[in-house]
Amino acid sequence: MSLPIATPKGVVRRWIAAFNAADPDALAALYHDDATNHQVALHPVKGRDAIHAMFVKEFAGTQMECVPVNLFEDGEWAILEWKDPQDRLGCGFFHVIDGRIALQRGYWDSATFAAPQRRAPVKKTAAKPKPKA
């Protein structure tokens, strides 16, 4: 599949749409043949075919949604700050060369994804002093 030259932000916007559609074919098409996807909590995945297989496996295991919070661009780089519907946060760095992703590095807290649900912290109230008799 041939893709037109696109800005890094444009490529990441297409990546978000394909991710939220759970479309591993569309996602894989956004990467160079020899691209690396390194989610730092996991081992790097190298090559478009391996990245495709990673997305197939991930989408088969769970529903995921990427809600963009901020999207920045600097030269060949796009930086995506995201959350999911449970308000878990992360960010991704995308090195885009000639309209395709050459390197993606993602940062997120794997412990929050392992937990069944994220709960709001419980507020503790100060103990009331006992009245003097």
Side-chain angles (χ1 to χ4, degrees):
M1 175 181 191
S2 176
L3 294 175
I5 302 298
T7 66
K9 277 175 95 169
V11 170
V12 173
R13 285 187 182 112
R14 291 167 64 194
W15 184 93
I16 294 165
F19 185 89
N20 288 342
D23 187 342
D25 296 333
L27 281 163
L30 296 171
Y31 291 85
H32 281 276
D33 289 338
D34 61 348
T36 298
N37 182 316
H38 185 195
Q39 302 304 305
V40 297
L42 308 170
H43 293 287
V45 177
K46 297 184 181 202
R48 180 187 295 148
D49 291 340
I51 292 168
H52 179 271
M54 174 193 72
F55 283 121
V56 167
K57 182 179 176 183
E58 288 182 359
F59 292 136
T62 188
Q63 283 190 314
M64 297 181 286
E65 183 179 352
C66 174
V67 179
V69 175
N70 286 300
L71 180 57
F72 304 97
E73 182 176 298
D74 184 16
E76 294 180 329
W77 289 87
I79 300 101
L80 171 64
E81 180 184 11
W82 57 266
K83 66 179 184 171
D84 71 2
Q86 288 77 40
D87 286 333
R88 294 177 288 209
L89 301 172
C91 63
F93 294 79
F94 297 78
H95 188 193
V96 177
I97 300 172
D98 296 331
R100 290 188 196 261
I101 301 164
L103 171 67
Q104 178 184 352
R105 188 165 290 125
Y107 298 89
W108 42 273
D109 182 358
S110 61
T112 62
F113 283 85
Q117 282 188 329
R118 184 174 181 196
R119 298 174 190 220
V122 177
K123 291 183 180 180
K124 293 184 180 181
T125 57
K128 292 181 182 178
K130 292 182 182 180
K132 294 185 180 182

